[in-house]
Amino acid sequence: MNISLVPLTVASGDIVDTFNRWNNDPEIVHLIRPSRSKEELTAHYEMTVDDLEERLLTHDIFLIYADDHLVGEMNVMYDPPHLYRQEPGTAWLGFVIGESVGRGKGVGTEALRLLEEQLRAKQTPRMELGVFAFNHAAHRLYTKCGYQEIGRIEHFTYWDGQFWSDIRMEKRLDEKPFHLAK
């Protein structure tokens, strides 16, 4: 499977429709956005083209293609206030594999490698991300790719009848190239 990252530079109705479908998909919504209640978890949110244009002002957004089929997106913010460890130049990662055909086949691993390569070229010193404690597949992916836990925010999101922590992880990009942990 050929994996590529394509920078999103212009908002379009087609991309907005795809993002809205992913961000409201009951199969994955609990993996994407934090919720404080069952009602919030099942609420339907609609992004507009204007919303995406505004987001492009503060995020680098990359579309993930697998064999020329759009399967997900990654987005990066630099030095946002919600970082667990405030260090100048830090990239905060948002990551969604919206299409089931892109899950469990190494797409996430390769997309992450490609993104890290681009961020290293920009001399970004580190990446930080949050993964919900129940999302074992994503936690395994990040650990395999060299991310290390740096903290937890307790009672961060509601799912399956209870509140779960947000596990904060980081990876230094200025120390060593991408590798898969054994």
Side-chain angles (χ1 to χ4, degrees):
M1 188 176 296
N2 183 36
I3 310 305
S4 59
L5 287 185
V6 176
L8 180 65
T9 56
V10 177
S12 73
D14 288 343
I15 294 297
V16 166
D17 290 345
T18 299
F19 285 6
N20 282 333
R21 183 168 47 81
W22 293 343
N23 290 322
N24 290 292
D25 181 342
E27 296 293 318
I28 60 172
V29 70
H30 62 286
L31 304 171
I32 298 173
R33 65 176 188 236
S35 300
R36 301 305 301 163
S37 67
K38 183 176 182 181
E39 293 75 28
E40 190 176 319
L41 181 63
T42 58
H44 191 82
Y45 295 97
E46 285 293 319
M47 173 189 289
T48 66
V49 171
D50 288 342
D51 294 334
L52 184 54
E53 286 175 350
E54 190 172 311
R55 190 172 173 221
L56 283 167
L57 298 174
T58 58
H59 294 68
D60 288 342
I61 300 174
F62 301 90
L63 304 177
I64 304 168
Y65 287 88
D67 293 333
D68 300 319
H69 180 70
L70 178 60
V71 297
E73 70 102 2
M74 301 176 102
N75 63 79
V76 177
M77 297 174 70
Y78 298 93
D79 300 319
H82 57 269
L83 289 173
Y84 191 83
R85 188 174 286 160
Q86 293 289 332
E87 182 180 322
T90 296
W92 171 265
L93 175 66
F95 192 0
V96 174
I97 301 291
E99 302 296 334
S100 61
V101 66
R103 296 184 206 122
K105 297 180 175 84
V107 172
T109 302
E110 180 62 9
L112 196 53
R113 186 192 70 74
L114 291 169
L115 180 64
E116 288 177 12
E117 193 175 274
Q118 290 189 28
L119 293 177
R120 276 193 184 89
K122 291 172 127 176
Q123 298 184 337
T124 304
R126 72 184 276 273
M127 285 180 61
E128 186 175 315
L129 58 88
V131 60
F132 302 145
F134 59 79
N135 191 348
H136 304 295
H139 190 266
R140 276 192 307 274
L141 166 69
Y142 298 131
T143 300
K144 175 177 79 169
C145 292
Y147 289 77
Q148 297 179 336
E149 183 174 335
I150 56 172
R152 289 179 181 238
I153 301 174
E154 300 299 324
H155 309 289
F156 188 81
T157 191
Y158 179 87
W159 181 68
D160 199 26
Q162 67 184 44
F163 280 92
W164 298 81
S165 299
D166 193 38
I167 302 169
R168 295 299 175 94
M169 302 180 83
E170 74 172 353
K171 182 174 182 179
R172 301 282 334 164
L173 298 178
D174 55 1
E175 291 177 355
K176 54 188 169 191
F178 180 93
H179 74 284
L180 296 179
K182 301 271 180 190

